[in-house]
Amino acid sequence: MAIKINDIPPEGLTVHVENEIDLLNQGDTPAPFSATITIKPEENGIFHVSGKASATPVLECSRCLKRFSFPIRDAVMDFALAPERLVESPGEHELGPAELDMEFYRGEELEPEEFIREQLLLAVPMVPLHSPGCKGLCPTCGTDRNEATCNCREEGLEREESPFAVLKKIIKPEKE
């Protein structure tokens, strides 16, 4: 659903968007999302975008690899949307403080699903966990420690096969 820039009135345009999106580009079943956004023109082709978005993507637990639904409710959007031509240099440049809360567009149309997707991605945790108490997988046998226990000994730096085990013999801990 593209929005033509010339169709946005001076008082702004409020749009409700509902669709499905593969948020993490994993080729999975897309998650439905909904968003209500207001696009208000400012000077020099810059627009102020505000609104909220919700979705329920399926994530993978970082500890045990279980897939789980992660509800994102009312992720807040509040940023400036500027034309790419405002960036002076055609190559790489360091972003200034005014550009940190800014998205860029090119052409005569805005595609709201592009920046809605980015804002939903910002609401996804960097290390997703299906439960804060997730015990993860055993590094030796791969048993899911949430469902069963295994007889593998805890492995750490004391493991003799570890390439770092020799450091324990060389470096003595400092006594305080």
Side-chain angles (χ1 to χ4, degrees), residues 3-169:
I3 299 171
K4 293 185 190 251
I5 290 173
N6 295 333
D7 292 345
I8 301 174
E11 64 274 3
L13 177 69
T14 300
V15 180
H16 184 75
V17 181
E18 287 189 28
N19 205 343
E20 291 185 334
I21 191 169
D22 182 7
L23 193 61
L24 302 174
N25 288 331
Q26 295 178 331
D28 294 336
T29 306
F33 78 90
S34 66
T36 302
I37 56 171
T38 300
I39 304 170
K40 188 168 186 167
E42 294 178 355
E43 70 269 350
N44 297 328
I46 298 175
F47 296 91
H48 181 261
V49 179
S50 60
K52 294 184 178 186
S54 298
T56 308
V58 176
L59 304 179
E60 189 173 82
C61 180
S62 293
R63 292 184 187 159
C64 69
L65 307 178
K66 281 186 184 172
R67 298 178 59 74
F68 67 99
S69 295
F70 182 78
I72 300 170
R73 300 288 174 247
D74 297 329
V76 177
M77 292 183 278
D78 187 19
F79 59 90
L81 189 61
E84 283 185 339
R85 63 178 161 72
L86 289 183
V87 181
E88 280 96 23
S89 64
E92 294 182 20
H93 79 281
E94 185 175 333
L95 293 176
E99 295 174 313
L100 292 177
D101 286 333
M102 190 175 285
E103 296 283 333
F104 296 95
Y105 70 90
R106 72 173 65 135
E108 298 300 315
E109 294 182 338
L110 303 177
E111 184 57 59
E113 288 188 22
E114 290 177 12
F115 52 81
I116 291 170
R117 181 179 186 276
E118 289 179 14
Q119 298 301 312
L120 288 171
L121 280 171
L122 290 172
V124 173
M126 289 179 67
V127 181
L129 298 174
H130 78 276
S131 164
C134 178
K135 297 176 184 174
L137 301 175
C138 173
T140 304
C141 68
T143 300
D144 185 347
R145 292 178 172 169
N146 298 307
E147 297 175 0
T149 57
C150 60
N151 293 327
C152 300
R153 64 183 174 121
E154 284 295 317
E155 296 181 7
L157 293 178
E158 70 275 1
R159 181 178 167 194
E160 291 181 21
E161 299 87 41
S162 169
F164 302 106
V166 70
L167 293 176
K168 189 173 184 181
K169 296 174 186 173

